[in-house]
Amino acid sequence: MSGTDRPRVLVPVQVLAGEGVSHGLITLLADADVVLLGYHVIPEQTAPAQARLSFEDRAVGKLEEIETALTEAGARVERTLVFTQDAEQTIERVAADEDCVAVAYPNPVTACQRVLVVLHGEVDAARLGTVTAGLAAGRDIHVGVVEVVGHDELPNRTGRTVDALEVGGVDRALIHESVMRTDAPVRDLTVLADDFDATVLGEREPTLRELLFGEFDERVIAESLGPVVVVRRVEPEAGSED
Amino acid sequence: MAVKGGPATGENREGEAPEPVATEVEDEATVDEAQGVELERTIGLGGGVAIGVGTMIGAGIFVFPGIAAGEAGPAAAASFAIGAVVALLVALPASELATAMPRSGGGYYFISRGLGTLTGAVVGISLWLGLVFASAFYLVGFGSYGAAVLAEVGIVLSVSPVTGLGLVFGVVLTALSLGGTENAATLQNAVVGILLVILTLFLTYGGLEALGLLGGAPSTPERFFRFGYAPVFTTAALVFTSYLGFAQVATVAGEIKKPGRNLPIAMVGSVVIVGVFYIATVFVATSAFGSPRLATFGETAMVEVAREFLGLPGAVAILIAGLLATVSSANASILSSSRAIFALARDAILPRRAGVVNLRYGTPHVALAMAGGPVLLLVAVGQVEVLAEVASFLHLVMYGLICIALIVLRRDPPTWYDPSFRMPGYPVVPALGAVASFGLILFMRPLSQVVGLGLMVVAAAWYAYYARGVELRGAL
């Protein structure tokens, strides 16, 4: 985090594909340091520089509208426009370069009064609480904490998240705990998430099963109706690949 | 010979000025801090090598061995070796320049910045057209393999299907590029991997057989320089088309990750890899048949070589490999050609609209049409040797000038000139590279020289008419 207790959140927007940032997400990010990442994906036949030549003006215009809306809501905004052949690499790279603690994937939502924090797998429960508190503290936003466990497991991490939320300034009365016992977490969570305006997940190593069927966070993002904030894990030191 | 720094300036006939390019080069992106715009780099080392090898390997192995052996005998192996040496002499300076200027456009970019707009315009247009000739050459090669497949399965046509097949696939490739196919690079990498495996197995077996290590008698030794020394050089000029791909790595320099490290390795590495394969191929092929007989098989001589060693399965494997290799080379060349057109349009040497990208498919349709269209015309002409030599001619001019640009930039470097790879052997190696590149041109047949020179004159005339006002020299 950049010296303040405002969480630094990356908001990737596929700006020329008609994506925008909904009113609900703008409300959620009112107390955040937002890195607004406009990106445009091009096929391998096309050089990113080539796409820039054709689309820069249009993309910047669109991005400025979103920036204005976020700034008016109270967020601090920096904006970047990237032309890329690989959206995943771009989001990961910019999030790391800009020291973002979380990535908010913008699905449309109109209001923001309830946020769902999901504890699933080996995530840093306290960190999820801290980042969420940075967004929700001091405001009339309810925070639901759901711990997802298998049928024969015991929940044991909700407490850490709740503590971190309270330390971060979220009113205890606005925090609601629950446990979900399920074998189909993505399906059941997206049903539960429909009662909330935004979902907070933790990034983690995929399990073997997830390597085959798609990573948990990606599937939740794809299935969710509302925006999904993925809290990035703290990496020891990113290894270099070619 | 002062080279000025600062942005490119001046206007062309339509009042368009060169677009400024993003300045800050990072490992995974090019960053324009002032505008807040970044260009992601997504091609790793493997991808870079695959572009180089994939572009080159189609020609040297699957088209040339029969033709080259017919002209130079077993010494065709020496012709390929000469080609490899010339390519390496150029790959080193090209690597240094590419790490100093890792931008789309490759050789054109270095030369326009090092030697000025006129030279740059001539080279840029030559690069575009050189790649068009190369694509046409590969497509004719593809047609030959397609025809051989038809012959293999017993379909007899009254006219040769070579040109028709080349044309059809030229249209298919251009259309696929226009549509923005997904995973094209992944597919290309896989194809290159498969090719290398097939070739390694085949050449190892054929090599052992030729040396008599598998029990059979060693093949009758043929006099190495059976046609004398001169054909070794004319053949080197002909087969140099087999080495054009390393510079294609530089045309995507703007998309390579960690360009300072990956560009030199990919360029030099791909030349070394294909050079070894080519020399081994010619050795095995001439051992199997002797060059006079090999020459009668023409473009698909390798199929007969494989049949000799491994029977029908060998012939089928090489037929499939030949189809894959020629089509991937043609495809890579059409794409590189469109990159060259874009670089020219960005610098206002061609109209800006030549470089535009459509929003729906995300592809540069005008540039692809300007590349794919003339390819079809040339496939219809169908003269393999002339197509190959003109392609080589236009590239060799660029290669020689790359070497000269390096010397000019080293002697009086602009402030931004800070390559992360500095080539060894300066100034001898780049000087040799320039002499060798221009020298090889002298060994080509007169028709190719006339066509090549003619195209350069047309390019210069276009510059004089359209882009005389544009100032690129020394601009980053």
Side-chain angles (χ1 to χ4, degrees):
Chain A
M1 278 183 247
S2 53
T4 68
D5 47 5
R6 286 172 161 244
R8 198 164 164 80
V9 179
L10 183 77
V11 182
V13 184
Q14 203 173 345
V15 74
L16 292 175
E19 267 187 19
V21 178
S22 62
H23 187 69
L25 183 59
I26 288 174
T27 315
L28 178 67
L29 295 174
D31 283 347
D33 260 352
V34 173
V35 177
L36 180 60
L37 166 64
Y39 67 98
H40 183 60
V41 182
I42 44 175
E44 287 144 348
Q45 284 89 335
T46 311
Q50 221 163 345
R52 178 186 184 186
L53 196 64
S54 298
F55 304 136
E56 181 177 354
D57 294 344
R58 240 191 297 182
V60 167
K62 192 87 200 304
L63 214 49
E64 274 170 348
E65 287 173 26
I66 301 173
E67 183 184 13
T68 308
L70 278 162
T71 311
E72 281 170 0
R76 284 187 215 144
V77 185
E78 290 164 37
R79 100 180 126 77
T80 312
L81 175 62
V82 182
F83 293 97
T84 181
Q85 296 160 339
D86 183 345
E88 203 177 323
Q89 178 188 315
T90 298
I91 292 171
E92 189 49 42
R93 176 181 63 81
V94 176
D97 284 356
E98 298 287 339
D99 285 325
C100 295
V101 294
V103 181
Y105 293 88
N107 283 331
V109 65
T110 48
C112 190
Q113 283 142 7
R114 290 154 304 174
V115 174
L116 178 65
V117 179
V118 178
L119 303 176
H120 176 260
E122 296 295 316
V123 295
D124 186 340
R127 186 171 158 83
L128 256 65
T130 308
V131 172
T132 310
L135 297 171
R139 306 167 60 190
D140 193 17
I141 296 180
H142 289 262
V143 180
V145 180
V146 61
E147 183 163 354
V148 184
V149 291
H151 284 293
D152 46 1
E153 292 172 329
L154 288 174
N156 56 7
R157 284 167 296 165
T158 307
R160 269 179 274 157
T161 307
V162 172
D163 288 347
L165 282 167
E166 281 195 273
V167 170
V170 178
D171 189 342
R172 186 68 182 88
L174 296 174
I175 303 175
H176 315 277
E177 301 165 33
S178 61
V179 173
M180 176 184 283
R181 291 186 187 281
T182 174
D183 290 325
V186 175
R187 189 194 61 204
D188 290 350
L189 272 174
T190 45
V191 171
L192 177 64
D194 287 349
D195 294 333
F196 291 82
D197 300 311
T199 310
V200 179
L201 305 175
E203 184 192 29
R204 57 175 170 73
E205 290 292 338
T207 61
L208 186 61
R209 192 188 142 92
E210 288 169 352
L211 280 177
L212 292 175
F213 296 103
E215 292 192 26
F216 178 70
D217 50 0
E218 284 172 14
R219 289 168 64 208
V220 174
I221 293 164
E223 303 277 320
S224 289
L225 298 177
V228 177
V229 178
V230 179
V231 176
R232 303 180 68 236
R233 68 190 144 190
V234 202
E235 306 225 9
E237 194 48 55
S240 65
E241 42 183 315
D242 42 83
Chain B
M1 299 277 276
V3 177
K4 291 178 304 202
T9 53
E11 288 179 354
N12 66 18
R13 201 174 178 84
E14 292 177 67
E16 296 162 346
E19 282 287 315
V21 291
T23 46
E24 192 80 14
V25 174
E26 294 178 2
D27 279 354
E28 292 203 334
T30 310
V31 179
D32 183 343
E33 202 78 60
Q35 303 294 318
V37 178
E38 299 175 7
L39 309 172
E40 195 79 29
R41 295 177 176 274
T42 48
I43 302 175
L45 179 58
V49 173
I51 289 171
V53 172
T55 313
M56 290 190 270
I57 206 136
I61 289 174
F62 296 102
V63 184
F64 276 134
I67 301 171
E71 294 197 7
S79 305
F80 276 104
I82 292 171
V85 170
V86 175
L88 280 176
L89 287 174
V90 181
L92 286 169
S95 296
E96 171 169 332
L97 293 172
T99 63
M101 299 170 255
R103 314 264 194 250
S104 269
Y108 156 73
Y109 195 90
F110 317 146
I111 291 167
S112 61
R113 269 55 185 179
L115 302 175
T117 315
L118 168 60
T119 330
V122 171
V123 165
I125 294 171
S126 298
L127 178 60
W128 157 29
L129 297 175
L131 287 163
V132 164
F133 275 85
S135 306
F137 160 76
Y138 296 130
L139 282 169
V140 174
F142 173 84
S144 304
Y145 274 83
V149 171
L150 292 180
E152 201 69 39
V153 296
I155 298 175
V156 182
L157 299 169
S158 52
V159 289
S160 161
V162 173
T163 306
L165 284 168
L167 284 173
V168 167
F169 256 76
V171 172
V172 168
L173 287 180
T174 311
L176 284 177
S177 301
L178 286 170
T181 44
E182 282 194 20
N183 303 324
T186 320
L187 191 65
Q188 172 94 354
N189 294 358
V191 166
V192 171
I194 293 169
L195 279 174
L196 291 184
V197 170
I198 294 180
L199 287 172
T200 307
L201 292 175
F202 166 65
L203 292 175
T204 309
Y205 184 87
L208 294 175
E209 178 85 26
L211 294 170
L213 296 178
L214 294 183
S219 50
T220 32
E222 189 181 355
R223 264 189 51 229
F224 193 67
F225 293 106
R226 61 175 293 160
F227 297 116
Y229 299 105
V232 177
F233 291 97
T234 51
T235 307
L238 171 66
V239 301
F240 193 73
T241 319
S242 323
Y243 291 103
L244 300 186
F246 73 89
Q248 263 64 289
V249 181
T251 61
V252 295
E255 288 141 75
I256 303 258
K257 290 185 201 177
K258 297 192 179 155
R261 165 180 168 267
N262 289 345
L263 274 171
I265 300 179
M267 282 204 246
V268 174
S270 56
V271 171
V272 171
I273 292 173
V274 298
V276 168
F277 273 101
Y278 291 166
I279 295 167
T281 301
V282 174
F283 171 73
V284 168
T286 53
S287 305
F289 286 124
S291 35
R293 191 145 164 245
L294 199 59
T296 61
F297 299 131
E299 286 90 347
T300 54
M302 287 314 287
V303 179
E304 303 312 318
V305 176
R307 199 193 309 277
E308 176 78 7
F309 284 129
L310 302 163
L312 186 62
V316 170
I318 291 296
L319 275 175
I320 293 170
L323 290 172
L324 286 176
T326 45
V327 91
S328 95
S329 293
N331 188 43
S333 301
I334 291 176
L335 292 180
S336 296
S337 183
S338 85
R339 294 290 163 87
I341 294 168
F342 156 65
L344 289 164
R346 178 179 60 192
D347 284 344
I349 291 173
L350 288 177
R352 177 70 31 87
R353 57 186 174 278
V356 297
V357 176
N358 65 71
L359 188 54
R360 174 135 179 235
Y361 297 110
T363 51
H365 51 287
V366 181
L368 283 168
M370 286 168 71
V375 167
L376 298 181
L377 206 66
L378 292 174
V379 171
V381 174
Q383 292 288 325
V384 175
E385 284 94 343
V386 176
L387 292 177
E389 284 197 350
V390 174
S392 295
F393 181 106
L394 295 170
H395 277 80
L396 282 165
V397 170
M398 175 174 86
Y399 292 172
L401 290 170
I402 283 176
C403 296
I404 293 174
L406 179 113
I407 295 173
V408 168
L409 286 167
R410 278 272 196 116
R411 281 170 62 104
D412 186 6
T415 45
W416 51 260
Y417 190 74
D418 183 22
S420 47
F421 168 80
R422 292 183 84 85
M423 65 169 296
Y426 172 87
V428 178
V429 174
L432 274 177
V435 171
S437 300
F438 295 135
L440 215 44
I441 291 174
L442 299 177
F443 289 99
M444 290 179 178
R445 63 203 70 203
L447 176 59
S448 312
Q449 292 170 335
V450 169
V451 174
L453 267 179
L455 290 173
M456 287 176 62
V457 169
V458 171
W462 170 262
Y463 160 80
Y465 164 75
Y466 188 79
R468 213 166 6 174
V470 177
E471 180 59 63
L472 299 172
R473 183 173 187 154
L476 186 56

